[in-house]
Amino acid sequence: MRFLPVHRQALMVELADLDQTLALLGSLQREPIAGVQELVPAARTVLVQFAPTQVGVAELVRRIAARDLGQRAERSQVLVEIPVHYDGEDLAEVAQLLGITPEEVVRRHTGSEYAVAFTGFAPGFAYLGGGDPIFNVPRRSTPRTRVPAGAVALGGTFSAVYPQASPGGWQLIGRTSARMWDLSRELPALLQPGYRVRFVDAAGIEPAQAAPAPAVAPAEPHEGPALQVKATGLMTLFQDRGRHGQAGQGVSASGAMDQAAFKAANRLAGNASDRPVLETVGGGLALQSRGETVVAVTGADAPLTVTTQAGRRWSVPRYQAVALADGDQLSIGQPVAGARCYVAVRGGFAVAPVLGSASTDTLAHVGPEPLAVGQMLPVRPAGCAVVSAPELPPESLPVAGQDVLLDVELGPRTDWFTPEAVALLASQRWQVTPQSNRVGLRLAGEVALERCVPGELPSEGTPLGAIQVPASGQPVLFLADHPLTGGYPVIGCVAPQHLDLAGQIPVGAWIRFRPIRAFKEISPIAP
């Protein structure tokens, strides 16, 4: 085993092959280590996220290194058959790459049994290993901007089915009507780690009728107070602390981009710290109170205005509970610093959780839909909740055009880059481009980062705050809605203490990275 640093709450274990990876994963699942919070397996690695207050790095590495990798993962009794129409756009090209006919590609693809090795990239996206040894197909040199849901594809030695329409660089050889991800099922992901899979040629078979969408129960009438959406701004979403523990289904945590501001909003409104709030970016949100409510707004430095039904207007402060009478409208203006505001209401919003969380994951399309004009947001009874005293807003929020300094811990793939590139990461300013969103900040620097290790990196877990470097050499800083796994090397990770700050950086700001820990492989015998 090789142990690579990620940040102070995560490390990566690199192994020789997929069999060893699955053996280690099975061992850690059968005999968990206290303090380990999440395991993200991939082709040759396991990303281990842990609580440093419960287990130290040295102890964790020592205990993992002692695990026996001789016990292979047991084969599941579950066999899933997936009917495929083999008419993919890349079928002929794949046949040419392998030196066989398209018919032989189909015969070999349906002639072997696969196993779900791990999940990632998107909810329900399963990496299937164990097929015919001939299948080792490079990804496309230029990924498609949109791959349709149900596309059956090859990438490296793996097969997979795209569960939803998304960008993708795998070779498309067919399509299926099987639903890989369905929230109406007890287990939304059709393919779970360890399941056996067989592809069946659907040529000549009448296409199966799509299952009717589950009926949506009408919302029960709400007689208590509510907030009605009069304007949404650029985008307003429900967010909370996130849906942790769903890596087995390929679902990342998501959650509020600025966790401190999210918790402060609830605290000010007298709620438990994990109640869902509204996260709005860029200003423009307007909410009208139906009945009497109490709200609190935190996060970005944006002007807040209350307007009565009679037209009277006045400004109200951030980081303070604000009482709204029936008909009063709260409006959030354009932030002068920071990017995202958080709105909590006393009692909390009555919103149904999805997989244990009310957070909206914009990449995975899991969670409530973004707010719409006219939508009514019911408020739960406040009970005896007591609002908190006003708090001081944070100082020095990021401003467009100015520099923001972020602490970085180098790893896990720093050694894939030249020494000059590692130095350049810290010495050069990186501007946040308009293509940035909750998935990540896309950065642009005058000089691109160069790699010293050629070839493709097998997919591996990517944590919140990872600085991934694609072929362009222009880094992407992964934020709350990042994919669970990725295929580009991560040169470093933003230190946990600066993740909230990263979530408030607006487009046009400049980032400077300050390495606070050099890259060094972790030795199992280190004290």
Side-chain angles (χ1 to χ4, degrees), residues 359-401:
S359 289
T360 297
D361 188 325
T362 58
L363 177 67
H365 303 292
V366 176
E369 292 291 321
L371 264 56
V373 173
Q375 184 175 353
M376 200 70 72
L377 309 179
V379 177
R380 298 184 186 278
C384 59
V386 178
V387 300
S388 293
E391 299 182 10
L392 291 175
E395 298 180 353
S396 304
L397 285 168
V399 177

Side-chain angles (χ1 to χ4, degrees), residues 199-337:
F199 293 103
V200 178
D201 188 358
I205 301 176
E206 193 68 25
Q209 295 294 319
V216 179
E220 295 183 3
H222 181 79
E223 298 180 354
L227 293 172
Q228 186 174 23
V229 181
K230 308 302 286 187
T232 63
L234 291 178
M235 177 179 283
T236 302
L237 308 167
F238 282 109
Q239 295 295 339
D240 55 23
R241 63 181 296 271
R243 54 179 61 79
H244 301 271
Q246 297 290 337
Q249 301 200 78
V251 181
S252 61
S254 188
M257 296 267 276
D258 185 341
Q259 288 282 319
F262 147 68
K263 293 174 183 176
N266 270 320
R267 185 168 57 247
L268 289 161
N271 299 333
S273 63
D274 59 352
R275 290 286 178 89
V277 304
L278 301 179
E279 178 186 271
T280 187
V281 61
L285 176 66
L287 303 169
Q288 188 170 44
S289 184
R290 301 301 187 185
E292 295 184 346
T293 57
V294 177
V295 298
V297 182
T298 62
D301 185 358
L304 309 179
T305 306
V306 172
T307 306
T308 68
Q309 285 187 310
R312 287 197 310 117
R313 300 182 59 187
W314 65 90
S315 297
V316 294
R318 301 152 54 232
Y319 284 82
Q320 179 174 315
V322 176
L324 299 179
D326 183 36
D328 285 355
Q329 179 170 299
L330 172 71
S331 301
I332 300 178
Q334 178 71 30
V336 296

Side-chain angles (χ1 to χ4, degrees), residues 45-258:
T45 58
V46 178
L47 177 65
V48 181
Q49 303 186 46
F50 61 94
T53 55
Q54 298 181 45
V55 60
V57 172
E59 174 67 10
L60 181 60
V61 168
R62 184 188 66 79
R63 296 181 64 180
I64 293 176
R67 294 299 172 102
D68 179 13
L69 302 184
Q71 184 175 349
R72 292 296 182 248
E74 295 182 4
R75 290 174 61 83
S76 171
Q77 298 302 308
V78 179
L79 173 63
V80 179
E81 291 192 340
I82 299 177
V84 179
H85 292 274
Y86 286 94
D87 54 4
E89 297 177 49
D90 304 323
L91 179 59
E93 184 177 342
V94 167
Q96 185 176 16
L97 285 170
L98 299 178
I100 58 179
T101 65
E103 292 75 18
E104 183 68 5
V105 171
V106 175
R107 189 187 70 78
R108 288 175 180 258
H109 198 249
T110 56
S112 300
E113 190 175 282
Y114 298 79
V116 179
F118 58 96
T119 56
F121 177 69
F125 189 100
Y127 291 76
L128 307 177
D132 192 296
I134 196 174
F135 292 123
N136 190 349
V137 180
R139 295 179 177 90
R140 296 181 61 83
S141 56
T142 302
R144 289 182 170 88
T145 57
R146 185 181 187 277
V147 174
V152 179
L154 303 175
T157 60
F158 294 103
S159 291
V161 180
Y162 281 82
Q164 62 191 23
S166 66
W170 287 33
Q171 306 283 359
L172 309 184
I173 61 172
R175 56 189 169 86
T176 180
S177 59
R179 296 179 66 85
M180 311 307 294
W181 178 259
D182 187 346
L183 285 168
S184 67
R185 295 193 293 245
E186 184 178 357
L187 286 175
L190 178 65
L191 303 180
Q192 301 287 325
Y195 279 15
R196 296 153 52 214
V197 178
R198 183 173 289 276
F199 293 103
V200 178
D201 188 358
I205 301 176
E206 193 68 25
Q209 295 294 319
V216 179
E220 295 183 3
H222 181 79
E223 298 180 354
L227 293 172
Q228 186 174 23
V229 181
K230 308 302 286 187
T232 63
L234 291 178
M235 177 179 283
T236 302
L237 308 167
F238 282 109
Q239 295 295 339
D240 55 23
R241 63 181 296 271
R243 54 179 61 79
H244 301 271
Q246 297 290 337
Q249 301 200 78
V251 181
S252 61
S254 188
M257 296 267 276
D258 185 341

